[in-house]
Amino acid sequence: MFGFQDKEVMPAEAVGAFQKLPMVMPSVDILYSALRKAKRVSPTKGIANVAKRERNRGAKQLDALMKELAVPLRTYKENFPNRKDLHPYERSLVELTLGDGNYEEVLGKVDALRKKVVSVGKEHASLCAKSLTKREAEERLIEGMKKIEEMFNREGKAIDDLLNIAKTLRAMPVVNLETPTLCLVGAPNVGKSSLVRLLSTGKPEVCNYPFTTRGILMGHITLSYQNFQVTDTPGLLRRHDEDRNNLEKLTLAVLSHLPTAVLYVHDLSGECGTSPSDQFVIYKEIKERFGDHLWLDVVSKCDLLSDSPVVFITEDSSADDFELAKYRRMGPDGALRVSVKTEAGIAQLKSRVHELLTSQSAKIKGWNSNEETLEALR
């Protein structure tokens, strides 16, 4: 089961491991390149006896084929990081993207193929070296080459799977842990993306994750000569973690593992499709779990709000819950009311966002200072 820590984590490891993954060659290219190089290997000079020369040539070519195949596979095994050594956020992305255990499984298959290549190569090189005649040496060379080629063709899919994993992970967006980040959170369609566009300097970039059906906006804010990041996250629905889809899990991964400030967006207009009552339940859960984050609440689409709070037909409008009734009317205590359409409250929002991100910047510097102190004491 996918698990998340329930409080903000100070960044210990650095992100960016995916961009350092080695380039993986297709299995067919590795095989044909190895075969070409192996077949060009000549016997040791000075061997006059025909049978000995052929034994020597066969053993050397099989040994060369073994090494040409095994070396890149060993390189992949050594240069793809152990998942436990990744930053927690990147560990989450590996699981969300590839599924639990698939990363390790593919690496394991690649290494198992390497071991088989070495074993079969050594076995047939040894048999070739023990041949009594030129003809026997030639036959054992052909047999050994064929067996290795067939095995590589049969099990080389693991290499191609690793190639696709590398492509997928290398294309993941990189979040700069040194730059304060504002993360917009809330139910689907509450107006997060519109606020990202409004707050960002220039046109926000679209970050595509392989498991998303749409791009996620990542923008940049420049305030008082300081640079900040701002991103929307996939909307959260009212359900248990084990029932959440990968989009929702991405939101929880961001909140669990990245040093973000939270701009929580509420839509009380009835337009977003999630009732205010459900939004209230989601909000209380997320606030309880991630209350250690710097936090700002915003009620969006205030131009659509009327004096009477929206009550969905599925809700009990007479429920005796003062806190919920108050939320339906005003949102959380201290929430800003804004409208992208009329720009109501936008100036105040930008000012509050600047304060929030400046505080987040100081928080990150404090973490880094603590890390340097701990490193010096080690």
Side-chain angles (χ1 to χ4, degrees):
M1 175 179 148
F2 198 95
F4 297 96
Q5 297 180 32
D6 289 347
K7 61 181 181 178
E8 192 171 355
V9 177
M10 289 195 303
E13 307 91 336
V15 295
F18 297 157
Q19 282 61 49
K20 299 173 185 175
L21 294 175
M23 299 300 295
V24 180
M25 288 178 61
S27 60
V28 65
D29 291 351
I30 295 175
L31 177 60
Y32 289 159
S33 173
L35 286 169
R36 281 197 307 271
K37 290 178 180 178
K39 289 175 181 177
R40 288 202 298 263
V41 173
S42 303
T44 303
K45 291 183 179 179
I47 302 177
N49 183 278
V50 175
K52 286 184 179 180
R53 187 165 62 246
E54 197 59 32
R55 285 201 303 267
N56 179 266
R57 181 177 77 90
K60 286 180 69 176
Q61 286 192 1
L62 286 167
D63 186 66
L65 179 59
M66 175 196 72
K67 290 176 180 175
E68 289 292 335
L69 293 175
V71 167
L73 303 193
R74 185 176 67 244
T75 300
Y76 301 152
K77 175 67 175 176
E78 292 173 351
N79 289 284
F80 273 79
N82 191 311
R83 190 166 62 162
K84 67 180 176 58
D85 296 328
L86 293 172
H87 184 276
Y89 177 63
E90 290 179 325
R91 284 204 298 271
S92 298
L93 293 183
V94 168
E95 189 168 335
L96 288 173
T97 307
L98 308 175
D100 189 17
N102 287 339
Y103 177 80
E104 291 84 355
E105 182 182 353
V106 170
L107 281 174
K109 287 180 178 179
V110 169
D111 199 46
L113 176 58
R114 177 191 65 82
K115 291 175 181 176
K116 287 182 182 179
V117 165
V118 171
S119 175
V120 173
K122 285 182 176 180
E123 177 190 352
H124 283 270
S126 176
L127 288 173
C128 198
K130 295 174 183 176
S131 302
L132 299 177
T133 65
K134 176 178 181 291
R135 183 184 178 117
E136 184 182 3
E138 289 173 342
E139 289 175 349
R140 287 184 170 176
L141 170 60
I142 292 170
E143 180 187 354
M145 288 272 193
K146 184 179 178 183
K147 189 164 184 179
I148 293 173
E149 184 176 355
E150 287 177 347
M151 180 181 64
F152 208 84
N153 279 326
R154 186 173 60 250
E155 301 182 30
K157 181 180 180 298
I159 300 169
D160 299 322
D161 288 343
L162 188 64
L163 185 154
N164 290 327
I165 284 174
K167 281 183 179 177
T168 297
L169 296 181
R170 206 179 286 115
M172 288 284 192
V174 179
V175 178
N176 187 345
L177 297 182
E178 302 298 319
T179 303
T181 301
L182 181 70
C183 179
L184 278 76
V185 183
N189 305 314
V190 293
K192 299 188 298 293
S193 297
S194 296
L195 288 174
V196 169
R197 291 187 178 94
L198 185 144
L199 292 168
S200 298
T201 304
K203 185 179 179 182
E205 61 185 304
V206 178
C207 298
N208 289 306
Y209 290 81
F211 50 83
T212 60
T213 55
R214 62 177 178 83
I216 294 174
L217 288 179
M218 170 70 80
H220 301 274
I221 306 174
T222 302
L223 298 168
S224 299
Y225 306 103
Q226 286 181 282
N227 292 319
F228 305 102
Q229 297 170 137
V230 57
T231 182
D232 76 333
T233 56
L236 295 170
L237 297 174
R238 181 181 176 179
R239 50 187 170 190
H240 297 296
D241 277 2
E242 55 267 26
D243 298 322
R244 296 195 186 281
N245 60 33
N246 282 355
L247 284 168
E248 294 175 278
K249 289 175 180 177
L250 174 62
T251 297
L252 297 180
V254 169
L255 293 174
S256 297
H257 304 309
L258 295 181
T260 60
V262 173
L263 181 65
Y264 201 101
V265 184
H266 310 259
D267 179 3
L268 308 180
S269 70
E271 274 211 336
C272 72
T274 303
S275 71
S277 296
D278 281 349
Q279 289 186 62
F280 180 64
V281 172
I282 299 165
Y283 170 70
K284 285 188 69 176
E285 179 198 346
I286 298 302
K287 180 74 172 181
E288 183 179 343
R289 290 174 65 174
F290 302 107
D292 287 347
H293 290 250
L294 295 175
W295 197 285
L296 177 61
D297 287 303
V298 167
V299 174
S300 66
K301 309 175 189 177
C302 71
D303 55 301
L304 301 178
L305 297 181
S306 62
D307 293 334
S308 301
V310 173
V311 179
F312 277 45
I313 195 169
T314 55
E315 300 183 67
D316 182 2
S317 59
S318 63
D320 186 18
D321 187 331
F322 174 76
E323 194 179 4
L324 174 57
K326 182 180 175 184
Y327 176 85
R328 282 200 189 106
R329 288 195 310 272
M330 304 294 296
D333 289 340
L336 293 179
R337 288 193 162 204
V338 302
S339 168
V340 172
K341 186 176 180 180
T342 67
E343 296 194 2
I346 296 302
Q348 186 182 5
L349 173 62
K350 289 183 176 180
S351 176
R352 291 288 298 277
V353 163
H354 186 200
E355 293 173 9
L356 198 67
L357 288 172
T358 300
S359 298
Q360 183 66 11
S361 180
K363 203 172 183 182
I364 291 173
K365 287 177 182 176
W367 286 336
N368 291 340
S369 177
N370 289 339
E371 283 293 314
E372 290 172 5
T373 301
L374 288 172
E375 188 64 33
L377 292 173
R378 288 188 183 114

